[in-house]
């Protein structure tokens, strides 16, 4: 397979689209923004929810070897001592003696400041965890951390899950939630931020079967991205060298994506061995083991961890979906988003604002909204309205014209192919349901026809 050298779309175009159409805004923008924090706007929040829902459906709902969890962000501070984060979750930080910009020394290509060429300080280790205080007194005994990963909530609940679900090995715990890291170098839009969301799985297996499950999860996760429309040539597996493995990992492979700034990590899949359960057992004094009925002995399971970032998946999906072409004689920007992910599934467009047509169209709109996020747009020409929907990835437009009042039919236009059909309003919901599920547009319901202008 030949790898593309460069992503198809530049970051500026995505940032501009996200800003213009209300996907993503800088956090607290009216105060000048807060570095590397982002707010997801009306369309962004829908896309983000759809990503998390798609992950949950595939990883939890549709599997009988997985259960979900929503553990708290603040955890007992000893969690982070046992996990190794207090001691080891640091980046080497250097500061320029002239312009005072700070850099991660492990990411620099020379020993001079990349900004001004100035001399740099000696590296010092900088812990990435955000600290805060619990209760009214701010002293060393009240320090708590904002979690830098959701994973630890799943390890410390291992026994609770075993006792309440009676799951047998192999099985997993899945969780989606916010994580916080006081990153030294940020940037590239939402790729690396200080507050972000993760979708993590801790999959518990018998020692000795860990390699098999590691391979299984690598494939499973690549298939998940592909199933949502990400092109295979934009995904690449990067196994870690021994020297770069995290302190807890026996093996790790990153699924990299060809972002506009180059290949970079989308998801990490690690074989954590028994590190976490052993650490938490010895730190808490609780026996975190599993009674193996077959072998009649207690074992400490190994853990395979597929750990994905919601925001990076969001960015990868946008990059992959972004396209520019010509439609109906005009240039258009469009997002080829998978229907499951599209923020708006269909838009109702009345050809005129005249009252009798508008109220008729609004009834259709109200009915469709019972099932999906649906848009309604009656401003400007129909061509402009199609363009607006294409740009946010709406898979179908439902056009209501004066004839609709007579024949009780509407036109459905498909975003990618621009093909149209006309269907009875009675079968509109069922038709949209089928098309959103992947049925070809030209498979027609009773009374439907292919529509040509
Ligand atoms: N529990 C393992 C763990 O957290 P990680 O490789 O540090 O592993 C997993 O993070 C995923 O979380 C990354 O692949 C990435 O998608 C996402 N992630 C990590 N740091 C991030 C940041 N600062 N901003 C956005 N996403 C981040």
């Amino acid at each position: 397979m030949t790898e593309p050298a460069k992503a198809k779309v530049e970051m500026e175009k995505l940032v501009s689209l996200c800003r213009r159409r209300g996907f993503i805004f800088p956090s607290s923008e009216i105060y000048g923004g807060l570095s590397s924090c982002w707010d997801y706007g009306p369309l962004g929040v829908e896309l983000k929810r759809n990503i998390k829902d798609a992950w949950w459906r595939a990883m939890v709902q549709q599997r009988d070897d997985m259960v979900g969890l929503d553990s708290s962000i603040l955890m007992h501070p000893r969690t982070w001592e046992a996990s190794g984060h207090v001691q080891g979750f640091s980046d080497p930080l250097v500061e320029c003696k002239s312009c005072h910009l700070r850099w991660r020394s492990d990411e620099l290509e020379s020993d001079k400041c990349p900004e001004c060429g100035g001399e740099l300080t000696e590296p010092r280790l900088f812990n990435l965890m955000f600290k805060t205080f619990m209760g009214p007194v701010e002293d060393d005994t009240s320090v708590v951390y904002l979690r830098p990963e959701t994973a630890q909530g799943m390890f410390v609940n291992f026994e609770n899950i075993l006792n309440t679900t009676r799951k047998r090995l192999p099985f997993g715990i899945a969780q989606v939630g916010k994580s916080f890291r006081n990153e030294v170098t940020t940037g590239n839009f939402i790729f690396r931020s200080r507050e972000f969301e993760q979708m993590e799985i801790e999959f518990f297996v018998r020692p000795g079967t860990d390699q098999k499950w590691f391979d299984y999860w690598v494939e499973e996760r690549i298939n998940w991205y592909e199933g949502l429309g990400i092109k295979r040539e934009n995904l690449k597996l990067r196994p870690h060298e021994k020297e770069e493995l995290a302190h807890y990992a026996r093996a790790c492979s990153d699924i990299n994506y060809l972002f506009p700034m180059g290949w970079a990590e989308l998801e990490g899949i690690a074989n954590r061995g028994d590190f976490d359960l052993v650490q938490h057992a010895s730190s808490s004094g609780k026996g975190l083991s599993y009674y193996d009925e077959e072998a009649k002995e207690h074992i400490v399971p190994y853990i395979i961890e597929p750990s994905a970032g919601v925001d990076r998946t969001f960015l990868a999906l946008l990059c992959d979906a972004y396209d520019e072409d010509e439609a109906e004689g005009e240039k258009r920007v469009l997002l080829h988003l998978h229907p499951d992910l599209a923020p708006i599934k269909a838009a109702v467009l009345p050809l005129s604002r005249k009252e009798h047509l508008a109220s008729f169209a609004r009834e259709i709109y109200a009915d469709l909204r019972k099932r999906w996020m649906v848009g309604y747009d009656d401003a400007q020409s129909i061509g402009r309205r199609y363009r607006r929907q294409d740009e946010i990835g709406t898979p179908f437009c439902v056009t209501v014209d004066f004839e609709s009042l007579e024949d009780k039919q509407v036109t459905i236009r498909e975003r990618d192919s621009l093909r149209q059909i006309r269907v009875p309003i009675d079968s509109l919901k069922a038709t949209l349901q089928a098309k959103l599920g992947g049925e070809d547009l030209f498979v027609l319901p009773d009374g439907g026809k292919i529509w040509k202008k």
Side-chain angles (χ1 to χ4, degrees), residues 165-181:
T165 65
R166 310 192 65 77
K167 283 278 171 213
R168 315 306 302 162
L169 291 184
F171 75 93
I173 309 178
Q175 155 152 258
V176 179
K178 288 256 174 162
S179 294
F180 303 82
R181 295 184 191 177

Side-chain angles (χ1 to χ4, degrees), residues 89 148-151 181 183 190-194 196-198 200 202 248 254 265-268 272 305 307-312:
F89 192 54
E149 59 174 15
T150 71
R181 295 184 191 177
E183 299 279 4
I190 53 171
F191 176 80
R192 184 176 287 135
S193 43
R194 294 196 166 103
F196 55 97
E197 270 186 283
Q198 291 184 306
E200 295 199 291
E202 305 303 333
Y248 53 74
D254 291 341
E265 179 185 341
L266 176 61
E267 166 161 354
R272 300 181 72 119
E305 178 192 63
S307 173
V310 179
D311 313 78
R312 285 189 194 177

Side-chain angles (χ1 to χ4, degrees), residues 90-228:
S90 326
D91 281 341
L93 177 76
V94 288
E95 187 174 326
C96 174
K97 291 180 182 171
S98 308
C99 68
H100 299 287
L101 281 179
R102 294 186 180 135
W103 307 94
R104 267 175 64 170
S105 64
D106 57 334
E107 287 184 343
L108 293 181
E109 279 167 12
S110 89
D111 57 0
K112 295 282 182 248
C113 172
E115 184 69 17
C116 71
E119 199 185 329
L120 298 169
T121 59
E122 283 299 306
R124 72 182 165 85
L125 286 179
F126 171 79
N127 195 293
L128 300 187
M129 282 196 294
F130 279 99
K131 259 186 203 173
T132 186
F133 300 93
M134 188 167 254
V137 183
E138 295 191 5
D139 64 14
D140 283 354
T141 61
S142 62
V143 167
V144 287
Y145 300 96
L146 300 189
R147 68 179 177 203
E149 59 174 15
T150 71
Q152 300 301 323
M154 296 186 264
F155 304 139
V156 301
N157 274 295
F158 174 68
E159 208 179 26
N160 285 336
I161 302 276
L162 260 191
N163 292 340
T164 53
T165 65
R166 310 192 65 77
K167 283 278 171 213
R168 315 306 302 162
L169 291 184
F171 75 93
I173 309 178
Q175 155 152 258
V176 179
K178 288 256 174 162
S179 294
F180 303 82
R181 295 184 191 177
N182 199 358
E183 299 279 4
V184 176
T185 48
T186 53
N188 289 320
F189 197 25
I190 53 171
F191 176 80
R192 184 176 287 135
S193 43
R194 294 196 166 103
E195 175 179 339
F196 55 97
E197 270 186 283
Q198 291 184 306
M199 306 180 284
E200 295 199 291
I201 291 170
E202 305 303 333
F203 200 76
F204 301 88
V205 305
R206 282 192 174 75
T209 64
D210 45 314
Q211 186 59 44
K212 181 184 86 181
W213 282 106
F214 180 81
D215 296 340
Y216 166 87
W217 277 110
V218 167
E219 201 183 318
E220 192 73 2
R221 295 299 305 143
I222 290 180
N223 290 343
W224 184 77
Y225 290 108
E226 275 197 90
L228 290 179

Side-chain angles (χ1 to χ4, degrees), residues 15-78:
V15 176
S16 153
L17 173 66
C18 285
R19 179 81 194 77
R20 192 170 69 246
R21 298 307 312 271
F23 281 93
I24 298 175
F25 310 118
S27 159
S28 22
E29 195 178 11
I30 59 166
Y31 292 104
L34 180 67
S35 169
S36 300
C37 296
W38 302 94
D39 294 344
Y40 286 78
L43 292 177
V45 72
E46 294 299 331
L47 174 53
K48 205 176 186 208
R49 277 171 67 142
N50 293 341
I51 292 170
K52 292 186 278 185
D53 284 352
W55 186 87
W56 196 265
R57 255 195 322 274
M59 299 298 130
V60 183
Q61 185 184 323
Q62 291 170 359
R63 303 183 62 105
D64 62 7
D65 58 0
M66 194 78 72
V67 293
L69 183 75
D70 184 8
S71 68
S72 73
I73 287 172
L74 300 175
M75 299 179 70
H76 196 290
R78 281 180 55 204

Side-chain angles (χ1 to χ4, degrees), residues 217-248:
W217 277 110
V218 167
E219 201 183 318
E220 192 73 2
R221 295 299 305 143
I222 290 180
N223 290 343
W224 184 77
Y225 290 108
E226 275 197 90
L228 290 179
I230 292 198
K231 294 170 206 72
R232 185 63 184 86
E233 70 259 30
N234 290 336
L235 294 168
K236 189 161 71 172
L237 199 64
R238 190 185 75 83
H240 283 208
E241 302 293 336
K242 275 253 159 341
E243 313 76 64
E244 59 172 325
L245 286 176
H247 60 277
Y248 53 74

